[in-house]
Amino acid sequence: MIIDDHLLLWNKSLLQVTDVQRMILLPGQGPYLCEMTASTFLYTISGQAHIALNGRGYQADSGYMLHTGKGERLHIAAVHGDLEYYLVMYKAKISMPNSQHLIELLERTRPFDVRYGCKLIRPLPIVAALSRMEADWNRPSKLDKLRVKALFYHLVCELMDQLKEVWGQDETTTDPLQLAMRYIEDHHNEPITVEKLAVLVKCSPRTLQRLFKKQLAQSPIDYLLQVRIDKAKQLLVNSDAGLRQVAELIGYADSYYFSRIFKKITGLSPSAFKENARSKPQSTGSADQTGIMKFSNENYYHEKKENRAAGEPFIHSFSLIPHLQGKLLLGSRPKSIAVLDAQFMDHLLALGERPIGSVATSGDLMQFPDYLFSYLRGVRILGTKDEADVEAVRAARPDLIICTEFQMKIYGDLQQIAPTLLLDRNEPWQKTLETMARIVGKEREAEQLLLDFQDKTHKLRTELAEKRKGQTVTMIRPRGHNIRLHTSMHRTASILYKDLGLTPPVQTLHLRHTSAMISLDALSELNADHCFVLTDDSLRGMTEALERTAVWKNLRAVKERHVYHANTSMWIAYYGPIAMNRMVDQVARVLL
């Protein structure tokens, strides 16, 4: 952010203040969420909170100024103390931007939309202007509204003056290095290249590289990496964001890549760093004994603080878990979890946790697969995914229920039993694992599971490419007189085609759904080199009938004995780290 560019555009602007509010958010009220209807300044007077603007997080305490544009989502959470703040909303446009330079500067700078935050050094003039603005805004006369507009200009002038001091910019600042460093710090969560930086600071990429090497002994991209890792450390220690959220907030779409970079730089995985940082002694104030408390309009719970010796400080630990019905605040790690989808049982077992009860799959005669059976003694059967048994759930007396949209009709009944999370059943298993890990406090274990899976599939991808050299692979499931063909959009098939790099039949590449029903004749047109047939006890008769047909016997994969039977429950229902690792192992056994 180059302040002189902003000042030029503010001087050319036509302004309208649309709202001035003074607000208070108390600890425990839950997060404040809203979408900005205009460009907005937010200034905190007291308290502390984690404030996010379209996902980019700021740790704000008293005297912190934030700016954002219209349409951005404001999220305030993790409030400590009474958070008191002002919101000033405004609309602005440039009067007659008739020069090409001004038009290009407006496009590049976007002063009324750009997102930034800063702890100001002189709060008194800022608070004085905001206080008078709020008082005048609530008066009816036109003169008062004009005063608000004049005070707004005064506020902007004072803000820009302080930003120059805080960010070390003066009237003659043209140093490309300083400007590039500031841009990186302000936009670290956005795609940045040396070429883009060079254009912004008006020098050549080679010159910019040389300046960074000479004065900082590192390249611009290394400096960006350093800023991102520093921001990640702050988020890991001071917020409840999960691994994927932290990665996205600092500019990485791939949380596994972020984990590797973080460990390479710090020597610790993100989970280990977080665990170490939070295990250090910290001072906490005394806390009153409170029971379970449910806040209005949101499913937030605080767990009763028990077994605490007199005078012993209570360190409150909680996780805010997003789900399809909002967000659930867990005050402590749940001990008795009921899961109403088999995949969640797989996730918990992979993390070393056993649910108190689970639904069973309906396709096989056995309630649970044999490879999990020894781990599930004593686990109550809670019906099936399609017909969960509410009374069985109630009898299990869970302190947390995890379900999917399949249980939407009974969601209200489940909430009467225990806090309930409604998760997306078709979410990638990696993301579900991260959610489960946050619930049970096993983020470090989840991170290792994900890294191990990535290592395994990366190695197999290379080996399969060398062995199979583009041979096509299909994944089907007999259904009555037709066949369900799973495409690369399907959550399990995507492991075949995306993670392992196997080649789908060319006829399926245009399909945009997870599966398609095809006839036996259409299967012969695919004529894949290899075929995985998903079956279970309920589909065995259909599979056997299919395999007796002449069309089937004439398929290339059948003739070359490249047909492989796979269990439907393991490949589809138990969509978690244990099942997916077993699936990958089976693929490796038959194709290598």
Side-chain angles (χ1 to χ4, degrees), residues 111-145:
F112 317 122
D113 299 312
V114 69
R115 195 186 315 134
Y116 57 86
C118 180
K119 172 89 170 181
L120 299 184
I121 54 177
R122 292 188 299 276
L124 288 180
I126 298 291
V127 173
L130 289 167
S131 176
R132 289 178 60 193
M133 285 177 70
E134 194 238 352
D136 289 339
W137 182 258
N138 291 315
R139 297 189 181 106
S141 76
K142 294 179 181 178
L143 182 58
D144 291 316
K145 296 298 184 287

Side-chain angles (χ1 to χ4, degrees), residues 247-450:
E248 290 173 352
L249 286 170
I250 66 167
Y252 293 112
D254 188 334
S255 59
Y256 318 125
Y257 178 72
F258 160 64
S259 293
R260 291 185 177 280
I261 291 292
F262 189 94
K263 187 171 184 179
K264 182 178 179 181
I265 299 298
T266 67
L268 293 171
S269 68
S271 296
F273 177 87
K274 181 176 183 177
E275 185 178 313
N276 287 356
R278 292 194 170 185
S279 66
K280 292 177 181 177
Q282 52 182 299
S283 60
T284 57
S286 61
D288 294 333
Q289 295 287 337
T290 59
I292 293 178
M293 184 165 57
K294 185 173 181 180
F295 298 111
S296 60
N297 301 322
E298 298 284 354
N299 296 319
Y300 295 111
Y301 294 81
H302 285 162
E303 193 71 22
K304 186 176 178 62
K305 303 162 189 166
E306 297 175 339
N307 303 320
R308 182 160 57 95
E312 179 186 347
F314 176 75
I315 300 175
H316 185 66
S317 172
F318 63 86
S319 290
L320 190 62
I321 311 296
H323 65 124
L324 296 180
Q325 293 297 302
K327 294 182 180 179
L328 186 69
L329 186 66
L330 298 177
S332 65
R333 187 183 128 184
K335 297 180 177 63
S336 303
I337 303 175
V339 295
L340 302 189
D341 197 294
Q343 62 179 305
F344 301 147
M345 179 167 59
D346 184 295
H347 285 86
L348 288 175
L349 290 172
L351 293 168
E353 302 288 328
R354 186 171 65 175
I356 194 172
S358 171
V359 294
T361 55
S362 54
D364 290 317
L365 296 177
M366 293 181 64
Q367 293 171 321
F368 299 126
D370 54 0
Y371 65 89
L372 291 180
F373 205 81
S374 62
Y375 300 101
L376 296 174
R377 290 191 177 92
V379 173
R380 295 171 180 250
I381 304 298
L382 306 177
T384 65
K385 167 179 65 69
D386 299 300
E387 294 185 22
D389 187 337
V390 174
E391 290 310 312
V393 176
R394 193 187 312 278
R397 302 182 66 183
D399 50 21
L400 179 68
I401 301 169
I402 307 176
C403 64
T404 73
E405 56 269 36
F406 274 81
Q407 288 85 39
M408 191 64 182
K409 289 183 179 179
I410 60 171
Y411 178 72
D413 296 329
L414 297 173
Q415 281 186 299
Q416 299 302 313
I417 299 171
T420 302
L421 286 167
L422 186 73
L423 301 183
D424 181 356
R425 186 172 189 270
N426 291 313
E427 197 154 50
W429 70 266
Q430 295 94 332
K431 190 170 183 180
T432 301
L433 180 65
E434 290 176 358
T435 299
M436 292 292 175
R438 291 184 66 196
I439 292 170
V440 299
K442 296 285 187 75
E443 290 98 328
R444 193 170 181 176
E445 289 85 346
E447 188 176 329
Q448 190 60 52
L449 286 168
L450 293 172

Side-chain angles (χ1 to χ4, degrees), residues 9 12 94-106:
L9 294 167
K12 298 286 185 179
I94 300 298
S95 59
M96 300 294 292
N98 48 16
S99 77
Q100 186 63 31
H101 168 70
L102 202 61
I103 294 172
E104 290 175 357
L105 184 63
L106 180 62

